[in-house]
Amino acid sequence: MGETDGPAWVGLPGGLLTLRRTLLLVWTVLLAVVTAVVTGLTLGPAWAALGVFWLAVLAWGWVLLGRNWRSWRYAERADDLLISRGVLWREQTVVPYGRMQLVEVTSGPLERRFGLASVQLHTAAAASDAKIPGLVPAEAERLRDRLSALGEARSAGL
């Protein structure tokens, strides 16, 4: 009755991908330089080429981060929130609104720098907590407020 099309999935904004790729770039270039300098000075100039290994890791990680970012999505339904993620091992979490105890918005220093925030959902069972990373702060706050209101409305009968 009206839900034949399935949930309306929402993907994550591109800021999370930019943050993760920036971190990957910084760390792999740093490791490539350190590897090249250390091996070049201790084993000889020809061994400095080992630093190229980290550039291969950069290329491989760049692709994997893109695939992982595209796999994250969430959907708000009438009675629950769906969170889906994963490339090889797909995971879908269903959080009933009535089971939510706490909804918080967090934003660390790097997330703030890239204009991002995460929504953390806490339920009665500690193992079932769910997180949606990399949202725009306004969307994270809107989602927090909506989920809190729905959680209060649904848990009134418990």
Side-chain angles (χ1 to χ4, degrees):
M1 290 208 253
E3 284 197 37
T4 56
D5 296 336
W9 292 101
V10 177
L12 299 181
L16 181 65
L17 180 60
T18 302
L19 168 63
R20 290 181 175 173
R21 283 183 169 170
T22 300
L23 289 173
L24 176 69
L25 181 66
V26 167
W27 283 107
T28 53
V29 168
L30 179 66
L31 289 169
V33 169
V34 168
T35 301
V37 168
V38 170
T39 56
L41 291 175
T42 57
L43 301 174
W47 288 95
L50 286 176
V52 173
F53 166 77
W54 294 109
L55 300 180
V57 169
L58 172 64
W60 181 61
W62 195 271
V63 172
L64 289 182
L65 285 175
R67 290 184 65 196
N68 179 268
W69 170 76
R70 281 189 299 279
S71 76
W72 275 87
R73 57 193 186 150
Y74 65 96
E76 298 174 63
R77 297 194 304 184
D79 296 319
D80 51 31
L81 176 72
L82 300 176
I83 302 171
S84 179
R85 64 194 166 281
V87 178
L88 292 177
W89 287 273
R90 293 190 180 152
E91 185 176 333
Q92 188 168 11
T93 305
V94 180
V95 183
Y97 297 134
R99 299 288 183 196
M100 288 188 290
Q101 292 184 330
L102 175 67
V103 181
E104 43 181 12
V105 174
T106 59
S107 187
L110 283 175
E111 286 179 310
R112 283 193 307 274
R113 174 72 175 100
F114 283 83
L116 301 172
S118 296
V119 173
Q120 178 78 40
L121 308 164
H122 299 280
T123 61
S128 66
D129 289 357
K131 183 175 186 176
I132 304 173
L135 296 173
V136 175
E139 171 63 8
E141 290 170 10
R142 182 204 67 81
L143 192 57
R144 178 200 59 209
D145 294 343
R146 176 168 160 68
L147 295 176
S148 296
L150 287 169
E152 287 176 21
R154 298 295 194 284
S155 67
L158 295 178

